[in-house]
Amino acid sequence: MSSGDRGKDVLEGKESSSRSISSGGGGGEHSRQPPAPLSRYESQKRRDWNTFSQYLKNKRPPVSLSQCSGNHVLEFLQYLDQFGKTRVHTQGCVYFGQPEPPAPCPCPLKQAWGSLDALIGRLRAAYEENGGTAETNPFGRGSIRVYLREVRESQAKARGISYKKNKKRRKKKKNETAITTTTTTTASTSSARGETISSSPPVIQSSSRS
C-alpha cells in the first residue's frame, strides 16, 4: 500500500474488522484464547505509526527512525493536508471568518487543527513505545507546538470559530463537578453527625454585573 493510500486512513478512526481465531487440533488440546481486542485509541495509534513509518521509508533517500527530526514531522503534517476535509477560507474569500458560509467556495481543504493535535499526541506516545526516548522524541519538539498553535489561530480566524471559548466551557464544567463533589461530601459528613442539610444545590452568585 502506498503512503498516499495509508494517509487517507490517518485521523479517520475506522475500526478494523473482527479477526477469526482458529481452534486447536484434536488430541485433547485446548482451543487458543482470542487476544484482547485493542481499544479504538490503540488501533488508531498503530495505524498512525505505520503510516508515518511508511512515509519515512518512501522518502528519497529513506529516513530511519533514528534520523527522524522535527522537520520530518512538519513535512508529514503538511503532506496530510491533501487528505483534509475541513474548508479553510483564505483572506481573499468573501466567506472569510464566517463559521457557516451560505454557499460553497474554492478555498482549500485541510486537516482540522484538532485532528492534527490528537495525531501528534498519538505519534508521540507511539515513538517511545517503539524504542525512542523522550529526549529524542521529534513529536515533542517546540517547533511542532509552534506549528500547531499557528494552525489553530489561523483556522480560528478563517472559519470564524473560537477555540478559547470551548476551553472556558470545559473549565466551567470542571468547576461545577468540583462543587457538586464538595456538596455531597459535606452532606455525608453532616448526616453522620445527625445534622440536617438541605438537598438543594448551593446558589452560586455570578461575578458579572448587568
Side-chain angles (χ1 to χ4, degrees):
M1 181 182 294
S2 64
S3 59
D5 293 333
R6 289 175 178 270
K8 296 179 182 179
D9 293 334
V10 175
L11 312 171
E12 293 183 358
K14 296 179 179 178
E15 293 293 340
S16 59
S17 58
S18 60
R19 304 175 181 176
S20 59
I21 306 299
S22 59
S23 59
E29 294 183 0
H30 297 287
S31 60
R32 295 181 180 179
Q33 294 295 329
L38 294 176
S39 66
R40 182 175 181 178
Y41 170 80
E42 292 296 331
S43 298
Q44 186 63 44
K45 181 172 64 175
R46 177 179 295 182
R47 286 194 295 271
D48 293 340
W49 181 250
N50 291 338
T51 301
F52 180 72
S53 300
Q54 189 63 45
Y55 172 80
L56 294 180
K57 292 178 182 178
N58 289 345
K59 294 186 71 66
R60 294 294 179 267
V63 178
S64 64
L65 184 60
S66 59
Q67 297 173 324
C68 180
S69 66
N71 289 334
H72 294 115
V73 177
L74 291 176
E75 292 173 0
F76 178 66
L77 295 179
Q78 295 166 359
Y79 155 81
L80 291 177
D81 269 338
Q82 63 184 303
F83 309 111
K85 298 179 180 179
T86 300
R87 185 79 62 184
V88 180
H89 304 292
T90 60
Q91 291 188 351
C93 180
V94 294
Y95 301 134
F96 182 84
Q98 296 187 26
E100 297 181 2
C105 67
C107 291
L109 292 173
K110 295 185 177 182
Q111 294 289 354
W113 163 76
S115 298
L116 293 179
D117 187 57
L119 170 66
I120 289 299
R122 293 191 296 268
L123 289 176
R124 184 174 182 176
Y127 177 86
E128 298 180 18
E129 292 173 0
N130 285 273
T133 62
E135 293 74 15
T136 61
N137 197 325
F139 301 99
R141 292 286 184 265
S143 58
I144 307 301
R145 292 192 293 271
V146 171
Y147 176 81
L148 290 176
R149 183 169 64 249
E150 291 177 348
V151 170
R152 181 188 65 187
E153 294 175 353
S154 63
Q155 290 191 4
K157 293 179 180 179
R159 302 174 60 198
I161 58 179
S162 175
Y163 294 108
K164 293 182 180 180
K165 183 180 295 185
N166 295 335
K167 186 177 181 180
K168 289 182 180 179
R169 289 178 180 176
R170 290 195 298 268
K171 186 176 180 180
K172 181 179 179 181
K173 185 176 181 180
K174 183 178 180 180
N175 291 339
E176 290 176 350
T177 303
I179 292 173
T180 303
T181 303
T182 303
T183 304
T184 303
T185 303
T186 304
S188 300
T189 304
S190 301
S191 297
R193 295 176 179 177
E195 300 175 2
T196 302
I197 298 292
S198 173
S199 60
S200 60
V203 178
I204 304 174
Q205 298 293 336
S206 174
S207 59
S208 60
R209 298 179 180 177
S210 56

